[in-house]
Amino acid sequence: MTDPFHSRPHSPSAPAPAPTTASSGPEPAGEVAVLKACLNGDRSRADHPGVPITPAELAQSAYDAALAGAVAVHFHPRGADGRESLRWSDVEPAVSAVRARCPELALGVATREEIEPELDQRLALLSGWSAGPDFASVNWHEEGAEQVAGLLIERGIGIEAGLFTPDAARKFLTWSGPVVRVLVEALPGISPGADGVAAASAVLEVLPGGFELVVHGENEWAWPVLEWARSKRHGLRAGLEDMLTGPSGETVAGNGELVAWAKGSARQG
């Protein structure tokens, strides 16, 4: 399994991976450019019985997603109480379990401020991380995003820049650090726009070319944004963090089925 994300950790002193540009040519017709699975987010079993919580569950869910076509996974490690955690003692077992089951899969984790609202405490927790995940998502609308990113890079962890709004995109462009990719995120109630496609388009209008992109929506915006992103040859994201059913409300058992739908939904719908 190859890794088109260039997501293995790079030395902070080394230049950022060369960005993909239009000169590399379009994907073959009908092919998914890049497909990433988002395994759990802040969801609980009350949202869907297939939400993976424990390291073993995350490992199995990542394996199912990889079999369905995902080349990378993103997940939110949990503590013993089932809540999202930034403690390395919670992050490391989750990363190690997924790595052991899926050694060639690119692994990413969350750092969002809702997990630890106090910036100083968040930075203190992140300072205890070691090299392990290939990348971590940093939401650029959050206070201290640049500090969080810098701390992760020092630990050999790549940065996935999460952009929810055009203002966040403009803020991101003032930063000169390396990124693995840019994640354009359309979230109902947060991202400005009449719908998910409008919200994602508004962020993309701010960005220059040259970034590896994954474009996704959440909840009612998830499937419309995914199909639009597919039509534009952007990278895709699917999983229980973003959607709880198939594109037409189909019941799914878990992340493997959602990734399979995302990989082939344009032909199945």
Side-chain angles (χ1 to χ4, degrees), residues 68 223 226-227 230 238 245-248 250-252 255-269:
W223 287 111
L226 185 148
E227 292 301 352
R230 184 201 307 278
T245 68
S248 297
E250 299 86 353
T251 299
V252 296
N255 285 297
E257 289 186 36
L258 287 171
V259 170
W261 272 109
K263 191 171 180 65
S265 61
R267 294 175 289 283
Q268 295 176 32

Side-chain angles (χ1 to χ4, degrees), residues 167-210:
D167 284 346
R170 283 185 277 268
K171 179 185 175 188
F172 164 69
L173 292 176
T174 67
W175 189 63
S176 59
V179 296
V180 173
R181 76 190 61 87
V182 170
L183 185 62
V184 175
E185 311 193 64
L187 279 63
I190 298 176
S191 304
D195 55 36
V197 171
S201 296
V203 174
L204 287 166
E205 287 174 2
V206 176
L207 296 174

Side-chain angles (χ1 to χ4, degrees), residues 51-207:
V51 172
I53 302 296
T54 68
E57 291 166 352
L58 287 165
Q60 181 61 51
S61 194
Y63 182 78
D64 294 342
L67 283 181
V71 298
V73 293
H74 163 83
F75 53 90
H76 295 217
R78 307 297 180 94
D81 59 1
R83 301 179 64 170
E84 297 169 84
S85 176
L86 296 179
R87 297 184 182 279
W88 185 243
S89 58
D90 297 323
V91 174
E92 191 278 332
V95 170
S96 293
V98 176
R99 180 79 73 208
R101 189 71 191 276
C102 310
E104 296 184 19
L105 198 62
L107 311 183
V109 296
T111 66
R112 69 191 194 107
E113 67 182 0
E114 288 86 351
I115 303 173
E116 175 47 66
E118 294 296 327
L119 177 60
D120 288 347
Q121 180 62 16
R122 198 174 342 129
L123 292 171
L125 289 169
L126 293 173
S127 69
W129 286 24
S130 300
D134 298 312
F135 61 92
S137 297
V138 178
N139 296 328
W140 234 261
H141 65 279
E142 296 175 356
E143 178 189 2
E146 299 89 346
Q147 293 169 268
V148 169
L151 197 58
L152 292 167
I153 289 170
E154 289 174 1
R155 281 149 183 77
I157 300 170
I159 304 303
E160 181 179 66
L163 308 180
F164 291 22
T165 67
D167 284 346
R170 283 185 277 268
K171 179 185 175 188
F172 164 69
L173 292 176
T174 67
W175 189 63
S176 59
V179 296
V180 173
R181 76 190 61 87
V182 170
L183 185 62
V184 175
E185 311 193 64
L187 279 63
I190 298 176
S191 304
D195 55 36
V197 171
S201 296
V203 174
L204 287 166
E205 287 174 2
V206 176
L207 296 174

